[in-house]
Amino acid sequence: MGTKEPDGTDSTVTLGKYLAAIRSDRRFTLRQVEEATDKAVSNAYLSQLENDKISKPSPNVLNALAEVYGVDLDRLMELAGYITKVKIRNGGARHGRVATFSEFNLTAEEESELLKYLKFLRQK
């Protein structure tokens, strides 16, 4: 068993294990995921991801999987190592992005709104 982070997530779960568990929970086959992503993620590629042979897929792949599985893109980005959680003053955590908007000193609310807008843009 892995250790639990303050936000309840398991710190030892790999991206592959997480994706495999979500796919199993949703009762999708590898081929069904391939079709649901309009072949953006092949069943062979997804198999390699789930078996931890690929640990850092592109953000586009992660976005496609997040949409199909109905999971948080930030969580997939974190597991792939693109973003990390950083502590904030009130004891919570938020995702830090290297260099992205760093000169603006965004509040957690501003960062959340930017992420919503980015998601909106990606869906267009």
Side-chain angles (χ1 to χ4, degrees):
M1 275 288 173
T3 58
K4 294 286 183 182
E5 295 294 325
D7 65 356
T9 59
D10 186 337
S11 64
T12 60
V13 171
T14 65
L15 175 63
K17 289 178 186 173
Y18 183 78
L19 291 173
I22 295 296
R23 185 175 61 78
S24 175
D25 180 65
R26 304 296 191 267
R27 296 189 174 143
F28 287 139
T29 65
L30 292 169
R31 290 198 190 275
Q32 286 172 324
V33 174
E34 178 179 41
E35 292 301 319
T37 63
D38 294 326
K39 299 191 180 190
V41 182
S42 74
N43 65 72
Y45 189 81
L46 182 57
S47 177
Q48 289 180 332
L49 279 172
E50 290 182 1
N51 289 299
D52 292 320
K53 293 186 172 141
I54 298 170
S55 60
K56 198 165 187 169
S58 78
N60 290 337
V61 166
L62 296 176
N63 187 52
L65 292 172
E67 287 180 11
V68 168
Y69 293 155
V71 297
D72 186 35
L73 176 60
D74 279 352
R75 179 70 174 135
L76 298 184
M77 295 286 282
E78 177 187 344
L79 288 169
Y82 287 107
I83 58 178
T84 58
K85 286 191 175 182
V86 293
K87 301 284 184 208
I88 54 177
R89 276 180 268 178
N90 65 4
R94 68 180 181 123
H95 288 95
R97 284 147 183 85
V98 179
T100 307
F101 299 109
S102 61
E103 72 269 16
F104 296 113
N105 258 342
L106 297 177
T107 65
E109 183 179 328
E110 290 169 330
E111 184 176 2
S112 175
E113 290 301 313
L114 277 172
L115 289 173
K116 287 178 192 174
Y117 184 66
L118 179 60
K119 185 175 182 179
F120 166 76
L121 289 175
R122 287 181 174 159
Q123 291 175 346
K124 287 177 90 175

